[in-house]
Amino acid sequence: VVYDECRRNFVVMPDYEGYGVTVNRAHPYLYQELTARQVADAARAAYYAYHNDAGLKDIHLKFRKDWKTVVCGYSQGGSVAMVTQRFMEQNHIDDEFHLTGSICGDGPYDPMSTLMYYVKCDKEDKSMSMPVVLPLIVKGMLDTNPYMRAHKAADYFNPKFIETGILDWIGQKKKTTGDIENAFKDCYYNGKNGDKTYFRDILEPNGIAKMRNIMNKECLDYFTNIYDKYKDKYKTAEGIPLPEKRGVMEDLHMALASNDLTNGWEPKHHILLFHSNADTTVPYDNAERAKAKLGDWAVLHTANLKHDHVDSGKDFFAGDDNGKILVNDNLRITFAIKALVDLPYQGQTKGAIKEW
């Protein structure tokens, strides 16, 4: 999002790889570095086209001299916003973009902390509200991450869960997450090959499932052991150490850790975090981990509206249930953009924004 001299916005919204014109490719879910590079390329291409394409001359407005760029997104887009800021800073193109910071809503910034939350829920006998998330994560790693080249989905998932068709649904990209939830319900009620009870030991009537019925025993045991050892540390700046050897489960661990956005950098611009403390899909633990690791460069607004992931996204972008954008009572995306635009894009001081 770029502010021009008339206080209008120049907005670039790139498709993820695997959608739009690249629909025949695998979608590299949570392959953060690749996605950040593509977002930066798209922003640069859009900026060039806006200023040089004769077909756009009738809508062209001059950018003001001190224009600013803010990167923002929600859910997967929240993590993409953060990694795009990291990519721009580490590759020294933040000045080119006049980058002033990012706004990240309910994003999976640390996949291991997400997985630890799911393990915690399983130990408490709680089901996953969106069981599609685990196969999305693991399939994304299998499709794109170098650590996972020798492995396959059957190494990690309950064979019967694979039989639902979940990996095909993700690969075909014709179903929304809501469609997949309904497909799980259909599996529960209709079963397979005339056996209507076939999936009832792994799925629940409302289309949800427990982690223990999604992953195979080896995978669940591996990550449960990590949780038992680091349950007091995984949300802190200390985090979880890397495995000391290679193996089927260790490689998944390494793949997840390689996409931890909270490690390996100190930002030069502010990151405004928004996270619902009622989110059970991308847990609040991610925001806690990001805040602990990134310190005063990260400013966390905790949403206390009791909304889970999807409805929290509506809060982030639009406002309350009546469609009002509440700037003063419940801070929203417009307020966050203004807070970052009011800062210089060069020489920001850590802690200049204390709350939002």
Side-chain angles (χ1 to χ4, degrees), residues 129-131 176-186 206-208:
S129 59
M130 289 183 69
T176 66
T177 56
D179 292 336
I180 290 176
E181 180 181 313
N182 288 330
F184 283 145
K185 293 177 185 177
D186 184 68
N206 53 357
I208 65 176

Side-chain angles (χ1 to χ4, degrees), residues 78-294:
S79 65
V80 171
M82 184 182 290
V83 75
T84 299
Q85 174 173 329
R86 186 180 75 174
F87 179 84
M88 288 182 176
E89 292 179 0
Q90 290 182 334
N91 289 277
H92 310 292
I93 58 174
D94 47 320
D95 281 356
E96 173 191 342
F97 284 96
H98 295 201
L99 178 69
T100 190
S102 57
I103 307 166
C104 311
D106 287 45
Y109 317 113
D110 175 9
M112 277 298 290
S113 73
T114 300
L115 206 60
M116 291 298 97
Y117 170 83
Y118 295 152
V119 171
K120 175 178 179 289
C121 289
D122 193 78
K123 289 171 71 73
E124 295 173 351
D125 202 32
K126 295 177 181 177
S127 300
M128 295 185 63
S129 59
M130 289 183 69
V132 66
V133 173
L134 279 174
L136 273 172
I137 293 173
V138 176
K139 188 178 186 304
M141 299 297 112
L142 288 166
D143 286 339
T144 59
N145 197 284
Y147 288 110
M148 301 291 282
R149 286 175 179 162
H151 308 306
K152 55 188 182 301
D155 294 332
Y156 305 100
F157 291 107
N158 179 344
K160 186 175 280 191
F161 184 71
I162 295 176
E163 288 183 58
T164 63
I166 179 62
L167 298 176
D168 291 335
W169 300 336
I170 293 173
Q172 292 163 358
K173 291 170 282 193
K174 294 180 180 179
K175 294 182 184 293
T176 66
T177 56
D179 292 336
I180 290 176
E181 180 181 313
N182 288 330
F184 283 145
K185 293 177 185 177
D186 184 68
C187 287
Y188 178 87
Y189 284 107
N190 295 314
K192 180 181 178 181
N193 296 332
D195 181 358
K196 290 194 172 183
T197 66
Y198 188 77
F199 291 113
R200 293 188 185 179
D201 58 336
I202 66 165
L203 297 175
E204 299 175 32
N206 53 357
I208 65 176
K210 291 184 171 63
M211 183 178 181
R212 70 191 70 158
N213 293 322
I214 298 173
M215 315 309 293
N216 63 30
K217 185 177 185 303
E218 293 78 12
C219 187
L220 183 65
D221 286 349
Y222 178 85
F223 288 103
T224 299
N225 289 336
I226 292 176
Y227 174 82
D228 289 340
K229 190 172 183 179
Y230 297 103
K231 61 185 177 183
D232 296 324
K233 297 180 180 179
Y234 76 87
K235 293 186 287 185
T236 70
E238 184 175 350
I240 297 172
L242 297 175
E244 297 179 354
K245 62 174 184 173
R246 295 289 298 273
V248 175
M249 300 307 157
E250 288 84 358
D251 285 353
L252 177 56
H253 183 165
M254 290 289 291
L256 295 170
S258 70
N259 289 287
D260 178 358
L261 306 183
T262 68
N263 268 334
W265 71 311
E266 181 178 359
K268 297 193 297 181
H269 304 85
H270 283 76
I271 300 167
L272 303 189
L273 300 167
F274 172 104
H275 219 104
S276 168
N277 57 9
D279 194 331
T280 64
T281 300
V282 182
Y284 188 73
D285 301 10
N286 276 275
E288 292 181 297
R289 165 76 172 157
K291 174 59 183 170
K293 190 68 177 179
L294 301 176

